Amino acid sequence: MADDAVLKRTGLYDLHIELGAKMVPFAGWEMPVQYPMGVLKEHLHCRAQAGLFDVSHMGQVILPASAAKALEELVPVDVTGLGEGRQRYAMFTNAEGGILDDLMVANRGDHLFLVVNAACAEADIRHLEDYLEGVCVIHNRALLALQGPAAETALARLVPAVAGMRFMDVQTHGWNGAELWISRSGYTGEDGYEISLPSDRAEEFARELLEMDEVAAIGLGARDSLRLEAGLCLYGHDIDTSTTPIEAGLNWAIQKRRRAEGGFHGAERILRELAEGPGRLRMGLRPEGRAPMREGVDIYAEAEGGAPIGQVTSGGFGPSIEAPMAMAYLPADLSEGTTVYGEVRGKRLPARIVPMPFHPHSYKR
Amino acid sequence: MKFTEEHEWLRVEGDLVLVGITDHASEQLGDVVFVELPELETQVAKGDEICVIESVKAASDILAPVDGEIVEVNEALADNPGLVNEDPLGAAWFFKMKVEDMSQLDGFMSEDEYKDFIG
């Protein structure tokens, strides 16, 4: 999108400005990248207490429950077997097994509720409409995420029933006459909730949360460092049409029945990689020292010479682990503990292959 | 104290010049997480990229503001890069240069001129 194109604003725009947010263009939206607290402190606040994120730029889509079978053609995930009141991570795949987008699918009884990435939303919707009937795009609901160890305490003050939810549960609850679609999930590795609610009630709801001592507004900057520490993929960086779910290490998202039956776009390659193993894999790197290895840094097997064996897809500094961290696609036969070298400003710096997440998850299972 | 258009400050101490970045620059960078200091006892020329600052957002270079020799670096920044945000004009100096020709500093801005410069 061109810089001078008109950027869309979420229902919380005025609140972000009032809170002193630094706004940036993101996937066609004007979004808060950080508040006066700053990325580092926002990150640590979310891990210690609770962070409120405006993620209203993400696409919200409803499908009739009867579309579950047809949707299974587009995702390698078990949708028909997803219980009512449950949510599941999924990805749209193409015929070559590449990833078109990653998404959440919730079974809300008489319908399925999908949340897709803002940058992919238009293409996703066209893709859905090409294959199934009754695609309904939601334009009048905001989406908030409340994440962190105090998220339950904070949200339960407004909606007591959320305390009883488990990770990936979805429920509908009323709040002062507004209908909230709540899931116990998120993108930080922390316990927490994602809440879809009418756009015209979002500011009022956010203010109620922000008035609580535990809750602070968190921008996209900290959202990125939180998800990276949690080892979670960012579409367009760590996964895209050139990576398969198996190369990305997302095997866990493909349930047994789908592995046995196939019948989804890219099944040939994806099932073959499941059986034989992929040639390369998304791996975690912990650079020695403090210098971050950012996206695009070439990775080498040796300290000198040779051709690159991979490239960093996401990298930065982890405020909670107090160290740099990165993800890269590397030859699948490299084992954890192996030292590789990232070329930063002309110097090859050592980095160790480590398991992800970099910071442990604390989901309420 | 003198200020450059690259948002560095310079303070003269005898025949040495201390160099750091301004509070405006530190705010723009965001939280600093890594500082790569210049090598000691190297001759540098004005405009050389001699130091790297990595913030949570991106990497930025610090340029040598004048010709001279690096005679001291602030090792405290290696252990505690956050000093750059906490005290950019004081404890977070980056390096000291031995400068033969102090007239090189003549063209730099005063504090008031720098404030006008950043608006």
Side-chain angles (χ1 to χ4, degrees):
Chain A
M1 168 161 293
D3 287 345
D4 56 357
V6 177
L7 296 169
K8 288 178 271 189
R9 293 176 174 178
T10 75
L12 294 186
Y13 178 84
D14 291 343
L15 179 59
H16 297 316
I17 299 298
E18 183 185 315
L19 293 171
K22 185 173 168 189
M23 305 298 285
V24 297
F26 183 82
W29 293 77
E30 199 169 353
M31 298 299 291
V33 68
Q34 66 171 81
Y35 297 88
M37 194 189 274
V39 175
L40 208 69
K41 290 196 182 77
E42 288 172 28
H43 176 117
L44 296 172
H45 181 91
C46 182
R47 291 258 186 261
Q49 301 199 54
L52 182 67
F53 304 73
D54 179 12
V55 287
S56 305
H57 58 309
M58 298 189 80
Q60 303 182 55
V61 181
I62 281 182
L63 306 175
S66 57
K69 190 70 197 161
L71 181 62
E72 285 197 342
E73 196 182 325
L74 309 185
V75 301
V77 167
D78 186 349
V79 183
T80 55
L82 179 63
E84 184 172 340
R86 294 289 292 164
Q87 176 176 272
R88 183 162 271 177
Y89 177 71
M91 64 288 295
F92 293 120
T93 47
N94 65 19
E96 292 75 43
I99 301 174
L100 295 165
D101 194 11
D102 62 344
L103 67 151
M104 284 292 183
V105 183
N107 177 347
R108 290 181 29 86
D110 62 354
H111 65 271
L112 298 172
F113 177 53
L114 276 51
V115 177
V116 303
N117 281 302
C120 302
E122 273 184 45
D124 290 343
I125 289 157
R126 280 197 303 274
H127 187 57
L128 285 166
E129 285 172 342
D130 282 346
Y131 288 90
L132 34 99
E133 302 286 330
V135 178
C136 175
V137 183
I138 297 174
H139 294 291
N140 59 357
R141 292 182 79 84
L143 192 64
L144 304 179
L146 185 68
Q147 301 279 295
E152 180 185 296
T153 303
L155 187 58
R157 286 192 196 113
L158 305 182
V159 189
V162 300
M165 295 174 73
R166 286 183 307 122
F167 184 59
M168 291 293 202
D169 277 351
V170 291
Q171 294 180 0
T172 303
H173 293 290
W175 172 76
N176 291 351
E179 193 177 281
L180 311 181
W181 303 348
I182 303 176
S183 65
R184 193 155 195 166
S185 56
Y187 192 46
T188 60
E190 296 298 317
D191 178 28
Y193 303 88
E194 292 169 298
I195 306 136
S196 168
L197 74 170
S199 299
D200 58 4
R201 303 297 301 279
E203 182 178 325
E204 181 190 350
F205 186 77
R207 282 184 192 278
E208 291 250 4
L209 288 169
L210 289 169
E211 270 174 25
M212 300 177 191
D213 287 341
E214 302 92 340
V215 182
I218 311 291
L220 292 181
R223 182 169 160 86
D224 190 52
S225 55
L226 287 158
R227 71 91 196 166
L228 182 50
E229 274 187 348
L232 302 171
C233 292
L234 175 60
Y235 190 81
H237 300 261
D238 310 305
I239 47 175
D240 58 28
T241 51
S242 74
T243 62
T244 70
I246 312 308
E247 290 175 329
L250 301 173
N251 308 23
W252 54 269
I254 306 175
Q255 287 77 23
K256 209 168 148 187
R257 180 175 64 78
R258 303 310 312 276
R259 296 181 189 211
E261 295 174 3
F264 51 85
H265 291 183
E268 192 188 341
R269 176 162 176 196
I270 289 168
L271 295 180
R272 185 180 70 236
E273 286 184 354
L274 262 175
E276 300 171 6
R280 57 175 194 156
L281 259 180
R282 181 174 61 94
M283 295 185 188
L285 293 177
R286 282 285 297 266
E288 288 176 21
R290 282 184 72 99
M293 290 182 187
R294 299 185 190 271
E295 183 174 0
V297 163
D298 282 324
I299 303 294
Y300 294 83
E302 305 292 340
E304 283 174 42
I309 56 170
Q311 220 175 38
V312 171
T313 54
S314 279
F317 188 83
S320 299
I321 62 172
E322 298 182 308
M325 60 190 165
M327 295 182 192
Y329 281 85
L330 296 174
D333 57 1
L334 290 180
S335 51
E336 278 165 13
T338 304
T339 295
V340 294
Y341 299 84
E343 195 164 282
V344 180
R345 294 181 284 274
K347 278 184 226 158
R348 290 203 192 166
L349 306 176
R352 205 159 32 87
I353 299 175
V354 298
M356 289 187 283
F358 301 102
H359 179 86
H361 295 162
S362 43
Y363 302 138
K364 191 178 174 190
R365 298 209 186 255
Chain B
M1 214 180 232
K2 294 278 193 179
F3 296 84
T4 75
E5 293 189 357
E6 281 75 39
H7 309 285
E8 291 159 85
W9 56 258
L10 292 81
R11 198 167 66 219
V12 178
E13 285 184 358
D15 63 344
L16 299 184
V17 175
L18 261 78
V19 179
I21 66 165
T22 66
D23 41 3
H24 171 76
S26 112
E27 266 172 45
Q28 294 296 311
L29 282 171
D31 304 303
V32 173
V33 296
F34 172 73
V35 174
E36 188 176 291
L37 293 162
E39 297 202 8
L40 275 177
E41 290 161 22
T42 48
Q43 291 289 335
V44 298
K46 179 176 177 166
D48 286 356
E49 296 170 358
I50 54 172
C51 199
V52 177
I53 312 174
E54 294 257 14
S55 76
V56 286
K57 295 176 205 161
S60 318
D61 292 307
I62 293 191
L63 310 180
V66 291
D67 300 344
E69 183 187 358
I70 305 293
V71 293
E72 198 178 335
V73 297
N74 189 355
E75 294 290 353
L77 295 184
D79 300 327
N80 183 11
L83 271 182
V84 178
N85 300 109
E86 288 160 25
D87 191 8
L89 300 178
W93 58 276
F94 281 75
F95 50 84
K96 295 183 185 178
M97 298 177 74
K98 191 170 183 179
V99 177
E100 297 287 328
D101 176 11
M102 285 291 184
S103 73
Q104 294 183 83
L105 275 68
D106 291 350
F108 294 136
M109 291 176 275
S110 67
E111 187 168 358
D112 283 345
E113 286 167 331
Y114 178 70
K115 278 184 183 156
D116 286 343
F117 172 70
I118 57 176

